[in-house]
Amino acid sequence: MKLKWGLSFVFFIVCLGFLTYSCYQNRVYDWDMPGYLGSILSWENPDNPQKVHQIVYSSIKKEASELEFHDIVAYNHANEVFAADYKAFDEQLPYYQIKLGFNVAVYALYKIGFSGPHSVLLVNIFSYFIAGLLLFYLVKFLFPSQYFLAPLVSLGILSLPPVKSMAENPTPDTFLFLFTLLFTINVLQNKNIWVRFIILVCCVLIRPDYILFAGTYLFAVIVFEFLYNSKKINYIAIIQGVVLASIYLSIITYYHYPGWNDLFYDSFFYRRPVISAENADFTAKRYLDFLFIKLINFKKISLASIILLGTLFYVTKDKWTRILGVLFYANIYIKFVFFPDSANLRFFIGFVILLFIVLLYAVSKKYNGFQIRKIA
């Protein structure tokens, strides 16, 4: 069996290396890169936004193709203004600066010698590779006698176009997916609750909007403990929630984050070249109409997630396993309500994969007798 697992792992590593290299070769220089690069360069030049602006665009121009750089500086009117006016560019930075955890990882690579643009991209490339190792480990843990299953399932997930897109684009998505995988492993293996809490802190630092994921998880823990377990209020989970909320509020306050309505307006209605020059006003009706249209185009994720959740409920009657499945399913739509970019599946695929992992866990219990002994 050890020989079979050894061969399985060697096969997996070779394929994972190929997929990772493919993501690197197809890396994307797009209009998000200046924001993240500007965020870390502003740490070294806090009082010189003009210098930050100059370094950002000159360094990207050296690496990006002519077509990619054209999109960055001239894809639309807003991009043209950002490239020409350092003050307008500086006003955009809070959208990116609040993703502190991702920026710290980018800055670490930058300080050890990688170029600025490469630093932004390599965080996701490295995260993709490590996430692959975690997927292999997790499937091996769930099905310890099925040596062929771990590489097939892991490589299948990693080969999905939205997953590869996460790794190729200069966004925090793959880095965040890495931590949500660690979180899921911690839950399924019943590891230390404070390690789990630290992972949630990292998620909020990487993307502050993941306070919603952390909050829904802690709420699920509190409700489950009270109704089905100890019949007592879980004060530890409440304290953890308060700390996470404080971290979230501290980040958005420190970086003067404009707010959700500004982000929504700039993302879906009209990207304001100069944020301070125009208010992000839109009615509830306009928002709901837009949400409904986007929901109609959300068919792939909706169908996949409903099938996974339905199969999970069919496979297991374990209450906590079902709650975990509902947790990940609900967060797909929580994310959608606040950022309904149905064309970009990379925003939602992480939760679909986590739902799939919970389904694998439920299936594995039928064969291996694994169970989550406690949740806190």
Side-chain angles (χ1 to χ4, degrees):
M1 183 60 72
K2 288 184 178 180
L3 176 61
K4 291 179 178 179
W5 272 115
L7 293 173
S8 173
F9 184 69
V10 169
F11 169 76
F12 171 73
I13 283 294
V14 171
C15 294
L16 176 60
F18 174 79
L19 286 172
T20 305
Y21 181 72
S22 173
C23 289
Y24 175 75
Q25 288 294 93
N26 291 286
R27 61 192 184 277
V28 177
Y29 295 79
D30 69 8
W31 47 86
D32 277 329
M33 179 174 283
Y36 293 114
L37 189 52
S39 296
I40 65 165
L41 290 175
S42 65
W43 295 347
E44 296 190 341
N45 305 276
D47 302 316
N48 197 343
Q50 190 169 8
K51 181 179 180 181
V52 169
H53 180 266
Q54 186 274 323
I55 296 174
V56 165
Y57 284 95
S58 62
S59 61
I60 295 175
K61 187 175 183 179
K62 291 178 182 178
E63 293 189 20
S65 68
E66 185 176 340
L67 179 60
E68 287 175 318
F69 188 71
H70 178 268
D71 281 349
I72 291 172
V73 302
Y75 179 77
N76 54 34
H77 177 60
N79 283 17
E80 292 175 348
V81 174
F82 302 153
D85 185 349
Y86 75 90
K87 292 181 180 179
F89 175 76
D90 191 58
E91 285 192 12
Q92 296 287 324
L93 288 186
Y95 284 142
Y96 303 93
Q97 289 172 326
I98 62 168
K99 296 164 187 177
L100 184 60
F102 180 69
N103 291 330
V104 168
V106 172
Y107 189 67
L109 292 180
Y110 179 67
K111 294 304 290 183
I112 64 175
F114 290 102
S115 69
H118 257 70
S119 298
V120 178
L121 291 162
L122 286 177
V123 171
N124 275 351
I125 298 296
F126 292 149
S127 298
Y128 180 83
F129 185 86
I130 298 171
L133 295 177
L134 290 177
L135 284 169
F136 183 92
Y137 165 78
L138 184 56
V139 180
K140 182 178 182 295
F141 162 73
L142 294 176
F143 302 96
S145 62
Q146 305 297 324
Y147 63 90
F148 63 90
L149 202 57
L152 291 181
V153 171
S154 304
L155 294 172
I157 292 173
L158 294 170
S159 299
L160 292 172
V163 177
K164 294 189 69 178
S165 175
M166 287 197 301
E168 294 164 358
N169 281 270
T171 68
D173 297 312
T174 306
F175 191 47
L176 181 63
F177 177 59
L178 174 62
F179 281 89
T180 56
L181 270 179
L182 288 170
F183 170 82
T184 305
I185 291 171
N186 185 288
V187 172
L188 296 183
Q189 293 189 332
N190 188 35
K191 297 295 185 181
N192 188 281
I193 62 169
W194 291 106
V195 173
R196 196 177 310 160
F197 170 69
I198 291 171
I199 296 172
L200 288 176
V201 169
C202 292
C203 290
V204 173
L205 289 174
I206 294 168
R207 284 193 74 110
D209 59 306
Y210 265 61
I211 186 65
L212 296 170
F213 169 66
T216 52
Y217 167 73
L218 293 173
F219 178 75
V221 168
I222 292 168
V223 171
F224 182 81
E225 284 279 356
F226 185 78
L227 293 180
Y228 303 111
N229 202 348
S230 66
K231 304 297 181 180
K232 297 179 181 179
I233 297 175
N234 189 326
Y235 290 103
I236 292 178
I238 293 175
I239 292 171
Q240 290 178 345
V242 171
V243 173
L244 286 167
S246 299
I247 292 172
Y248 168 78
L249 291 173
S250 297
I251 292 173
I252 63 173
T253 300
Y254 180 81
Y255 286 109
H256 305 289
Y257 180 61
W260 169 80
N261 58 318
D262 290 79
L263 175 65
F264 196 94
Y265 187 86
D266 286 335
S267 299
F268 300 113
F269 295 148
Y270 172 65
R271 188 61 180 261
R272 296 167 295 171
V274 182
I275 289 179
S276 60
E278 180 182 344
N279 291 328
D281 291 330
F282 57 92
T283 63
K285 182 180 184 304
R286 188 180 182 188
Y287 162 73
L288 292 173
D289 288 344
F290 182 84
L291 191 68
F292 179 73
I293 292 171
K294 289 294 184 178
L295 184 61
I296 294 174
N297 297 322
F298 201 51
K299 296 184 289 292
K300 291 182 180 179
I301 291 292
S302 295
L303 180 61
S305 57
I306 289 172
I307 290 174
L308 289 173
L309 186 64
T311 306
L312 174 66
F313 271 64
Y314 175 79
V315 169
T316 182
K317 295 182 179 179
D318 179 74
K319 291 183 176 63
W320 179 242
T321 306
R322 285 183 168 187
I323 287 175
L324 277 179
V326 172
L327 172 73
F328 293 132
Y329 177 82
N331 271 275
I332 295 171
Y333 290 94
I334 291 173
K335 176 71 174 178
F336 180 81
V337 166
F338 284 93
F339 200 79
D341 193 352
S342 55
N344 283 317
L345 301 185
R346 61 185 174 86
F347 290 121
F348 313 98
I349 193 65
F351 287 124
V352 177
I353 294 171
L354 298 182
L355 176 57
F356 175 65
I357 289 171
V358 175
L359 173 59
L360 290 181
Y361 168 79
V363 172
S364 75
K365 287 204 298 182
K366 288 183 174 293
Y367 295 95
N368 305 311
F370 290 140
Q371 60 180 340
I372 306 175
R373 295 185 299 279
K374 57 181 181 178
I375 60 175

mmCIF file of all heavy atoms in Angstrom, residues 317-350:
data_model
loop_
_atom_site.group_PDB
_atom_site.id
_atom_site.type_symbol
_atom_site.label_atom_id
_atom_site.label_comp_id
_atom_site.label_asym_id
_atom_site.label_seq_id
_atom_site.Cartn_x
_atom_site.Cartn_y
_atom_site.Cartn_z
ATOM 1 N N LYS A 317 -27.394 11.753 7.394
ATOM 2 C CA LYS A 317 -28.383 12.387 8.257
ATOM 3 C C LYS A 317 -27.720 13.083 9.436
ATOM 4 O O LYS A 317 -28.428 13.633 10.304
ATOM 5 C CB LYS A 317 -29.384 11.342 8.762
ATOM 6 C CG LYS A 317 -30.230 10.722 7.662
ATOM 7 C CD LYS A 317 -31.238 9.722 8.236
ATOM 8 C CE LYS A 317 -32.098 9.134 7.111
ATOM 9 N NZ LYS A 317 -33.081 8.137 7.649
ATOM 10 N N ASP A 318 -26.405 13.062 9.463
ATOM 11 C CA ASP A 318 -25.669 13.714 10.544
ATOM 12 C C ASP A 318 -25.929 15.224 10.513
ATOM 13 O O ASP A 318 -25.704 15.890 9.493
ATOM 14 C CB ASP A 318 -24.174 13.437 10.402
ATOM 15 C CG ASP A 318 -23.357 14.114 11.485
ATOM 16 O OD1 ASP A 318 -23.398 13.644 12.634
ATOM 17 O OD2 ASP A 318 -22.691 15.122 11.179
ATOM 18 N N LYS A 319 -26.389 15.760 11.641
ATOM 19 C CA LYS A 319 -26.836 17.155 11.671
ATOM 20 C C LYS A 319 -25.696 18.133 11.397
ATOM 21 O O LYS A 319 -25.858 19.088 10.619
ATOM 22 C CB LYS A 319 -27.492 17.464 13.015
ATOM 23 C CG LYS A 319 -28.817 16.765 13.244
ATOM 24 C CD LYS A 319 -29.432 17.186 14.569
ATOM 25 C CE LYS A 319 -30.812 16.554 14.771
ATOM 26 N NZ LYS A 319 -30.749 15.075 14.830
ATOM 27 N N TRP A 320 -24.551 17.934 12.035
ATOM 28 C CA TRP A 320 -23.465 18.898 11.859
ATOM 29 C C TRP A 320 -22.891 18.854 10.450
ATOM 30 O O TRP A 320 -22.544 19.882 9.873
ATOM 31 C CB TRP A 320 -22.373 18.681 12.890
ATOM 32 C CG TRP A 320 -21.222 19.626 12.732
ATOM 33 C CD1 TRP A 320 -19.930 19.319 12.454
ATOM 34 C CD2 TRP A 320 -21.277 21.064 12.813
ATOM 35 N NE1 TRP A 320 -19.166 20.451 12.361
ATOM 36 C CE2 TRP A 320 -19.969 21.533 12.583
ATOM 37 C CE3 TRP A 320 -22.291 21.978 13.047
ATOM 38 C CZ2 TRP A 320 -19.658 22.902 12.576
ATOM 39 C CZ3 TRP A 320 -21.984 23.332 13.055
ATOM 40 C CH2 TRP A 320 -20.679 23.777 12.818
ATOM 41 N N THR A 321 -22.809 17.673 9.861
ATOM 42 C CA THR A 321 -22.343 17.564 8.482
ATOM 43 C C THR A 321 -23.292 18.300 7.539
ATOM 44 O O THR A 321 -22.858 19.016 6.629
ATOM 45 C CB THR A 321 -22.227 16.089 8.055
ATOM 46 O OG1 THR A 321 -21.399 15.385 8.983
ATOM 47 C CG2 THR A 321 -21.623 15.970 6.666
ATOM 48 N N ARG A 322 -24.573 18.145 7.773
ATOM 49 C CA ARG A 322 -25.551 18.871 6.957
ATOM 50 C C ARG A 322 -25.423 20.381 7.156
ATOM 51 O O ARG A 322 -25.524 21.158 6.197
ATOM 52 C CB ARG A 322 -26.964 18.406 7.308
ATOM 53 C CG ARG A 322 -27.316 17.026 6.755
ATOM 54 C CD ARG A 322 -28.759 16.678 7.072
ATOM 55 N NE ARG A 322 -29.205 15.499 6.326
ATOM 56 C CZ ARG A 322 -30.456 15.054 6.316
ATOM 57 N NH1 ARG A 322 -31.391 15.690 7.014
ATOM 58 N NH2 ARG A 322 -30.779 13.984 5.617
ATOM 59 N N ILE A 323 -25.214 20.800 8.406
ATOM 60 C CA ILE A 323 -25.063 22.225 8.678
ATOM 61 C C ILE A 323 -23.840 22.791 7.963
ATOM 62 O O ILE A 323 -23.877 23.891 7.408
ATOM 63 C CB ILE A 323 -24.973 22.474 10.203
ATOM 64 C CG1 ILE A 323 -26.351 22.279 10.833
ATOM 65 C CG2 ILE A 323 -24.444 23.877 10.501
ATOM 66 C CD1 ILE A 323 -26.362 22.381 12.339
ATOM 67 N N LEU A 324 -22.739 22.042 7.951
ATOM 68 C CA LEU A 324 -21.551 22.484 7.219
ATOM 69 C C LEU A 324 -21.862 22.665 5.741
ATOM 70 O O LEU A 324 -21.439 23.641 5.109
ATOM 71 C CB LEU A 324 -20.415 21.479 7.385
ATOM 72 C CG LEU A 324 -19.558 21.565 8.637
ATOM 73 C CD1 LEU A 324 -18.504 20.468 8.616
ATOM 74 C CD2 LEU A 324 -18.898 22.932 8.760
ATOM 75 N N GLY A 325 -22.597 21.698 5.180
ATOM 76 C CA GLY A 325 -22.975 21.803 3.774
ATOM 77 C C GLY A 325 -23.831 23.036 3.510
ATOM 78 O O GLY A 325 -23.598 23.775 2.553
ATOM 79 N N VAL A 326 -24.810 23.270 4.374
ATOM 80 C CA VAL A 326 -25.669 24.447 4.232
ATOM 81 C C VAL A 326 -24.854 25.728 4.402
ATOM 82 O O VAL A 326 -25.096 26.726 3.712
ATOM 83 C CB VAL A 326 -26.821 24.396 5.255
ATOM 84 C CG1 VAL A 326 -27.602 25.708 5.255
ATOM 85 C CG2 VAL A 326 -27.759 23.235 4.939
ATOM 86 N N LEU A 327 -23.871 25.699 5.308
ATOM 87 C CA LEU A 327 -23.017 26.863 5.529
ATOM 88 C C LEU A 327 -22.299 27.280 4.251
ATOM 89 O O LEU A 327 -22.337 28.453 3.851
ATOM 90 C CB LEU A 327 -21.999 26.550 6.630
ATOM 91 C CG LEU A 327 -20.906 27.600 6.862
ATOM 92 C CD1 LEU A 327 -21.493 28.824 7.545
ATOM 93 C CD2 LEU A 327 -19.768 27.020 7.693
ATOM 94 N N PHE A 328 -21.655 26.336 3.596
ATOM 95 C CA PHE A 328 -20.926 26.660 2.367
ATOM 96 C C PHE A 328 -21.893 27.018 1.235
ATOM 97 O O PHE A 328 -21.617 27.928 0.444
ATOM 98 C CB PHE A 328 -20.029 25.494 1.953
ATOM 99 C CG PHE A 328 -18.903 25.230 2.914
ATOM 100 C CD1 PHE A 328 -18.637 23.952 3.367
ATOM 101 C CD2 PHE A 328 -18.105 26.273 3.368
ATOM 102 C CE1 PHE A 328 -17.596 23.711 4.252
ATOM 103 C CE2 PHE A 328 -17.058 26.045 4.255
ATOM 104 C CZ PHE A 328 -16.812 24.758 4.703
ATOM 105 N N TYR A 329 -23.021 26.325 1.176
ATOM 106 C CA TYR A 329 -24.027 26.642 0.156
ATOM 107 C C TYR A 329 -24.554 28.062 0.343
ATOM 108 O O TYR A 329 -24.651 28.841 -0.617
ATOM 109 C CB TYR A 329 -25.178 25.638 0.248
ATOM 110 C CG TYR A 329 -26.307 25.913 -0.716
ATOM 111 C CD1 TYR A 329 -26.233 25.500 -2.042
ATOM 112 C CD2 TYR A 329 -27.455 26.591 -0.296
ATOM 113 C CE1 TYR A 329 -27.271 25.750 -2.924
ATOM 114 C CE2 TYR A 329 -28.487 26.848 -1.174
ATOM 115 C CZ TYR A 329 -28.396 26.428 -2.493
ATOM 116 O OH TYR A 329 -29.422 26.691 -3.363
ATOM 117 N N ALA A 330 -24.878 28.417 1.580
ATOM 118 C CA ALA A 330 -25.424 29.750 1.852
ATOM 119 C C ALA A 330 -24.414 30.841 1.518
ATOM 120 O O ALA A 330 -24.791 31.912 1.018
ATOM 121 C CB ALA A 330 -25.834 29.845 3.323
ATOM 122 N N ASN A 331 -23.138 30.576 1.765
ATOM 123 C CA ASN A 331 -22.136 31.605 1.516
ATOM 124 C C ASN A 331 -21.917 31.864 0.029
ATOM 125 O O ASN A 331 -21.426 32.940 -0.338
ATOM 126 C CB ASN A 331 -20.823 31.243 2.204
ATOM 127 C CG ASN A 331 -20.766 31.766 3.623
ATOM 128 O OD1 ASN A 331 -20.407 32.912 3.864
ATOM 129 N ND2 ASN A 331 -21.150 30.915 4.573
ATOM 130 N N ILE A 332 -22.264 30.913 -0.814
ATOM 131 C CA ILE A 332 -22.238 31.170 -2.260
ATOM 132 C C ILE A 332 -23.174 32.330 -2.583
ATOM 133 O O ILE A 332 -22.816 33.264 -3.313
ATOM 134 C CB ILE A 332 -22.657 29.916 -3.049
ATOM 135 C CG1 ILE A 332 -21.637 28.784 -2.861
ATOM 136 C CG2 ILE A 332 -22.816 30.243 -4.541
ATOM 137 C CD1 ILE A 332 -22.089 27.456 -3.435
ATOM 138 N N TYR A 333 -24.372 32.285 -2.006
ATOM 139 C CA TYR A 333 -25.380 33.292 -2.326
ATOM 140 C C TYR A 333 -25.217 34.563 -1.500
ATOM 141 O O TYR A 333 -25.620 35.641 -1.941
ATOM 142 C CB TYR A 333 -26.773 32.683 -2.165
ATOM 143 C CG TYR A 333 -27.033 31.677 -3.259
ATOM 144 C CD1 TYR A 333 -26.774 30.326 -3.061
ATOM 145 C CD2 TYR A 333 -27.472 32.082 -4.508
ATOM 146 C CE1 TYR A 333 -26.965 29.406 -4.074
ATOM 147 C CE2 TYR A 333 -27.675 31.175 -5.530
ATOM 148 C CZ TYR A 333 -27.416 29.834 -5.316
ATOM 149 O OH TYR A 333 -27.588 28.932 -6.325
ATOM 150 N N ILE A 334 -24.633 34.440 -0.314
ATOM 151 C CA ILE A 334 -24.288 35.651 0.435
ATOM 152 C C ILE A 334 -23.276 36.465 -0.361
ATOM 153 O O ILE A 334 -23.396 37.686 -0.506
ATOM 154 C CB ILE A 334 -23.733 35.291 1.827
ATOM 155 C CG1 ILE A 334 -24.843 34.701 2.701
ATOM 156 C CG2 ILE A 334 -23.130 36.527 2.504
ATOM 157 C CD1 ILE A 334 -24.361 34.164 4.027
ATOM 158 N N LYS A 335 -22.269 35.768 -0.893
ATOM 159 C CA LYS A 335 -21.278 36.433 -1.734
ATOM 160 C C LYS A 335 -21.941 37.034 -2.965
ATOM 161 O O LYS A 335 -21.636 38.174 -3.369
ATOM 162 C CB LYS A 335 -20.202 35.425 -2.151
ATOM 163 C CG LYS A 335 -19.152 35.957 -3.113
ATOM 164 C CD LYS A 335 -18.223 36.930 -2.451
ATOM 165 C CE LYS A 335 -17.097 37.336 -3.382
ATOM 166 N NZ LYS A 335 -16.192 38.321 -2.776
ATOM 167 N N PHE A 336 -22.860 36.291 -3.557
ATOM 168 C CA PHE A 336 -23.532 36.752 -4.767
ATOM 169 C C PHE A 336 -24.362 38.008 -4.508
ATOM 170 O O PHE A 336 -24.375 38.937 -5.325
ATOM 171 C CB PHE A 336 -24.424 35.640 -5.320
ATOM 172 C CG PHE A 336 -25.159 36.022 -6.573
ATOM 173 C CD1 PHE A 336 -24.524 35.970 -7.799
ATOM 174 C CD2 PHE A 336 -26.481 36.441 -6.519
ATOM 175 C CE1 PHE A 336 -25.206 36.329 -8.963
ATOM 176 C CE2 PHE A 336 -27.160 36.799 -7.672
ATOM 177 C CZ PHE A 336 -26.514 36.745 -8.890
ATOM 178 N N VAL A 337 -25.067 38.047 -3.390
ATOM 179 C CA VAL A 337 -25.912 39.199 -3.078
ATOM 180 C C VAL A 337 -25.077 40.478 -2.971
ATOM 181 O O VAL A 337 -25.504 41.543 -3.430
ATOM 182 C CB VAL A 337 -26.690 38.948 -1.773
ATOM 183 C CG1 VAL A 337 -27.298 40.237 -1.237
ATOM 184 C CG2 VAL A 337 -27.790 37.921 -2.001
ATOM 185 N N PHE A 338 -23.899 40.357 -2.393
ATOM 186 C CA PHE A 338 -23.071 41.548 -2.210
ATOM 187 C C PHE A 338 -22.197 41.852 -3.428
ATOM 188 O O PHE A 338 -21.802 42.997 -3.638
ATOM 189 C CB PHE A 338 -22.177 41.382 -0.969
ATOM 190 C CG PHE A 338 -22.918 41.556 0.315
ATOM 191 C CD1 PHE A 338 -23.460 40.470 0.977
ATOM 192 C CD2 PHE A 338 -23.100 42.821 0.849
ATOM 193 C CE1 PHE A 338 -24.161 40.629 2.166
ATOM 194 C CE2 PHE A 338 -23.806 42.996 2.043
ATOM 195 C CZ PHE A 338 -24.338 41.891 2.697
ATOM 196 N N PHE A 339 -21.893 40.816 -4.227
ATOM 197 C CA PHE A 339 -21.052 41.046 -5.402
ATOM 198 C C PHE A 339 -21.472 40.083 -6.511
ATOM 199 O O PHE A 339 -20.822 39.055 -6.752
ATOM 200 C CB PHE A 339 -19.571 40.833 -5.050
ATOM 201 C CG PHE A 339 -18.622 41.493 -6.015
ATOM 202 C CD1 PHE A 339 -18.371 42.856 -5.944
ATOM 203 C CD2 PHE A 339 -17.986 40.753 -7.009
ATOM 204 C CE1 PHE A 339 -17.501 43.472 -6.829
ATOM 205 C CE2 PHE A 339 -17.125 41.363 -7.901
ATOM 206 C CZ PHE A 339 -16.879 42.722 -7.801
ATOM 207 N N PRO A 340 -22.584 40.394 -7.191
ATOM 208 C CA PRO A 340 -23.184 39.461 -8.152
ATOM 209 C C PRO A 340 -22.508 39.444 -9.528
ATOM 210 O O PRO A 340 -23.162 39.669 -10.543
ATOM 211 C CB PRO A 340 -24.624 39.972 -8.251
ATOM 212 C CG PRO A 340 -24.501 41.438 -8.018
ATOM 213 C CD PRO A 340 -23.406 41.605 -7.011
ATOM 214 N N ASP A 341 -21.237 39.175 -9.549
ATOM 215 C CA ASP A 341 -20.524 39.097 -10.825
ATOM 216 C C ASP A 341 -20.610 37.663 -11.340
ATOM 217 O O ASP A 341 -19.663 36.880 -11.232
ATOM 218 C CB ASP A 341 -19.067 39.525 -10.642
ATOM 219 C CG ASP A 341 -18.365 39.778 -11.970
ATOM 220 O OD1 ASP A 341 -18.972 39.469 -13.009
ATOM 221 O OD2 ASP A 341 -17.229 40.260 -11.976
ATOM 222 N N SER A 342 -21.760 37.315 -11.879
ATOM 223 C CA SER A 342 -22.028 35.931 -12.275
ATOM 224 C C SER A 342 -21.127 35.456 -13.403
ATOM 225 O O SER A 342 -20.975 34.248 -13.625
ATOM 226 C CB SER A 342 -23.492 35.782 -12.703
ATOM 227 O OG SER A 342 -23.825 36.706 -13.729
ATOM 228 N N ALA A 343 -20.512 36.373 -14.137
ATOM 229 C CA ALA A 343 -19.627 35.979 -15.235
ATOM 230 C C ALA A 343 -18.288 35.458 -14.721
ATOM 231 O O ALA A 343 -17.607 34.707 -15.418
ATOM 232 C CB ALA A 343 -19.399 37.154 -16.178
ATOM 233 N N ASN A 344 -17.897 35.876 -13.521
ATOM 234 C CA ASN A 344 -16.620 35.453 -12.959
ATOM 235 C C ASN A 344 -16.849 34.366 -11.916
ATOM 236 O O ASN A 344 -17.065 34.651 -10.731
ATOM 237 C CB ASN A 344 -15.890 36.645 -12.324
ATOM 238 C CG ASN A 344 -15.255 37.538 -13.365
ATOM 239 O OD1 ASN A 344 -14.657 37.063 -14.321
ATOM 240 N ND2 ASN A 344 -15.400 38.841 -13.195
ATOM 241 N N LEU A 345 -16.801 33.115 -12.345
ATOM 242 C CA LEU A 345 -17.077 31.997 -11.449
ATOM 243 C C LEU A 345 -16.010 31.849 -10.376
ATOM 244 O O LEU A 345 -16.249 31.196 -9.349
ATOM 245 C CB LEU A 345 -17.197 30.700 -12.253
ATOM 246 C CG LEU A 345 -18.293 30.673 -13.323
ATOM 247 C CD1 LEU A 345 -18.371 29.296 -13.959
ATOM 248 C CD2 LEU A 345 -19.646 31.062 -12.737
ATOM 249 N N ARG A 346 -14.840 32.452 -10.588
ATOM 250 C CA ARG A 346 -13.764 32.323 -9.599
ATOM 251 C C ARG A 346 -14.151 32.956 -8.264
ATOM 252 O O ARG A 346 -13.574 32.621 -7.231
ATOM 253 C CB ARG A 346 -12.474 32.951 -10.123
ATOM 254 C CG ARG A 346 -12.552 34.436 -10.437
ATOM 255 C CD ARG A 346 -11.255 34.931 -11.070
ATOM 256 N NE ARG A 346 -11.336 36.316 -11.513
ATOM 257 C CZ ARG A 346 -11.104 37.365 -10.722
ATOM 258 N NH1 ARG A 346 -10.775 37.165 -9.463
ATOM 259 N NH2 ARG A 346 -11.183 38.592 -11.203
ATOM 260 N N PHE A 347 -15.125 33.855 -8.264
ATOM 261 C CA PHE A 347 -15.562 34.457 -7.014
ATOM 262 C C PHE A 347 -16.347 33.469 -6.154
ATOM 263 O O PHE A 347 -16.460 33.656 -4.949
ATOM 264 C CB PHE A 347 -16.432 35.690 -7.279
ATOM 265 C CG PHE A 347 -15.683 36.858 -7.837
ATOM 266 C CD1 PHE A 347 -16.036 37.408 -9.049
ATOM 267 C CD2 PHE A 347 -14.606 37.406 -7.148
ATOM 268 C CE1 PHE A 347 -15.344 38.498 -9.575
ATOM 269 C CE2 PHE A 347 -13.907 38.483 -7.669
ATOM 270 C CZ PHE A 347 -14.276 39.030 -8.877
ATOM 271 N N PHE A 348 -16.907 32.422 -6.755
ATOM 272 C CA PHE A 348 -17.812 31.528 -6.045
ATOM 273 C C PHE A 348 -17.337 30.078 -6.012
ATOM 274 O O PHE A 348 -17.832 29.292 -5.202
ATOM 275 C CB PHE A 348 -19.197 31.581 -6.702
ATOM 276 C CG PHE A 348 -19.679 32.974 -6.977
ATOM 277 C CD1 PHE A 348 -19.546 33.551 -8.234
ATOM 278 C CD2 PHE A 348 -20.245 33.733 -5.971
ATOM 279 C CE1 PHE A 348 -19.980 34.842 -8.487
ATOM 280 C CE2 PHE A 348 -20.686 35.031 -6.216
ATOM 281 C CZ PHE A 348 -20.552 35.587 -7.471
ATOM 282 N N ILE A 349 -16.406 29.730 -6.874
ATOM 283 C CA ILE A 349 -16.020 28.324 -7.021
ATOM 284 C C ILE A 349 -15.412 27.756 -5.744
ATOM 285 O O ILE A 349 -15.534 26.559 -5.462
ATOM 286 C CB ILE A 349 -15.034 28.153 -8.216
ATOM 287 C CG1 ILE A 349 -14.871 26.677 -8.589
ATOM 288 C CG2 ILE A 349 -13.685 28.789 -7.905
ATOM 289 C CD1 ILE A 349 -16.119 26.039 -9.122
ATOM 290 N N GLY A 350 -14.769 28.610 -4.938
ATOM 291 C CA GLY A 350 -14.162 28.130 -3.702
ATOM 292 C C GLY A 350 -15.186 27.501 -2.774
ATOM 293 O O GLY A 350 -14.953 26.411 -2.218
#
